[in-house]
Amino acid sequence: MKIAFLIKEIKGNAGQTHDLLEIMYYLKSKNPNWSFSVFTNYCDNPKALPEYITLFMINTYYRNLFFFNELQEKLIDFDILYVKGNYPYLVPAYKSKKPTILVVHQIDSPSLFEGMIPKIRIILANILTRIMLKLPTKVVTVSQPLALYYQNKYGILPEVIPDIISLIPTEYSKPRSLPSKKIPIRFLSVGYWDGFKGRKRQHILIDFLSKVSLSRD
């Protein structure tokens, strides 16, 4: 089985990167003969990726949205495609006619429409989302409230697969630990507080705050 993961960027401090590594680590442990490739337009430290991952750098990000064929041709050799919320990668994945999974809990920011009047930008982004959600073989997200949001707004009910706190022993994803010394913490954030429970692992923040010593200094 050959699986391709498509994500806009790979960063050591990004939750999406940790999620992706966690999935591949689990699949590799269960299926040693499977192969894994990552297509991205940015990677801050390629050497930190596990050796069983093949990295492909793609420099045609938004051109892929307008049916640029370079990426599509590369995806034909894979059995399953996993798109991490990026519409420009979803289009060539769909055109490759391979089974495609779209993860919608972190949809690509519609920077394509930046510079437009805000109301027009929102309308265009909603139209694009409505179209794109109909393309993949399967749509998944991380919480029931978020799945219901997509159902109510776009008429598509994603399958819910909750996030798991990563414990993968890689440079990109080390087990979390508390500071050995009492360090003043001015502010902690685990993502956007947008009302979707569990979307950004707020329980981690609450648990962390309950254990460390805070300081206003």
Side-chain angles (χ1 to χ4, degrees):
M1 181 75 72
K2 297 176 64 177
I3 305 178
F5 294 84
L6 296 90
I7 184 171
K8 186 176 181 181
E9 56 188 15
I10 299 288
K11 291 183 177 180
N13 62 350
Q16 291 196 45
T17 298
H18 291 261
D19 292 343
L20 216 60
L21 290 173
E22 185 173 68
I23 292 169
M24 285 185 277
Y25 179 81
Y26 173 81
L27 292 175
K28 187 68 174 177
S29 67
K30 299 295 183 181
N31 308 279
N33 295 327
W34 287 14
S35 66
F36 305 93
S37 298
V38 173
F39 290 81
T40 184
N41 69 311
Y42 176 80
C43 182
D44 62 355
N45 186 6
K47 294 182 179 179
L49 293 174
E51 60 181 10
Y52 57 80
I53 297 174
T54 302
L55 181 66
F56 291 91
M57 300 302 298
I58 302 296
N59 298 316
T60 57
Y61 187 64
Y62 276 114
R63 278 190 285 174
N64 291 311
L65 186 60
F66 299 103
F67 307 104
F68 195 72
N69 290 324
E70 179 187 357
L71 179 55
Q72 175 193 336
E73 293 171 358
K74 296 180 185 300
L75 298 177
I76 292 175
D77 295 332
F78 292 90
D79 299 302
I80 297 176
L81 309 178
Y82 183 101
V83 182
K84 193 73 172 181
N86 302 115
Y87 294 150
Y89 287 163
L90 177 60
V91 170
Y94 169 74
K95 290 189 67 183
S96 72
K97 299 182 180 179
K98 296 294 182 176
T100 302
I101 300 169
L102 172 67
V103 183
V104 295
H105 59 282
Q106 291 179 327
I107 282 295
D108 179 37
S109 173
S111 55
L112 183 67
F113 306 124
E114 284 183 359
M116 296 183 177
I117 299 173
K119 186 171 291 187
I120 295 177
R121 184 172 69 243
I122 293 172
I123 292 173
L124 290 175
N126 283 331
I127 292 174
L128 180 62
T129 300
R130 193 177 299 275
I131 294 172
M132 291 294 170
L133 287 174
K134 297 178 181 180
L135 300 185
T137 307
K138 181 184 286 292
V139 181
V140 302
T141 190
V142 294
S143 70
Q144 192 63 36
L146 192 53
L148 293 176
Y149 166 80
Y150 279 98
Q151 182 183 40
N152 295 334
K153 190 171 182 63
Y154 301 110
I156 298 291
L157 181 62
E159 180 180 343
V160 178
I161 302 178
D163 270 346
I164 302 172
I165 300 173
S166 180
L167 294 177
I168 307 173
T170 69
E171 290 184 43
Y172 266 129
S173 184
K174 296 179 180 178
R176 300 167 187 258
S177 60
L178 294 175
S180 57
K181 299 180 180 180
K182 290 186 177 180
I183 303 174
I185 298 177
R186 303 178 188 278
F187 182 75
L188 289 173
S189 174
V190 288
Y192 298 107
W193 294 75
D194 60 359
F196 295 117
K197 295 181 180 178
R199 177 181 179 186
K200 287 289 185 176
R201 302 171 180 172
Q202 289 92 330
H203 60 288
I204 296 176
L205 174 62
I206 295 172
D207 181 62
F208 196 83
L209 287 172
S210 69
K211 295 177 181 178
V212 300
S213 174
L214 299 180
S215 172
R216 295 183 180 180
D217 297 335

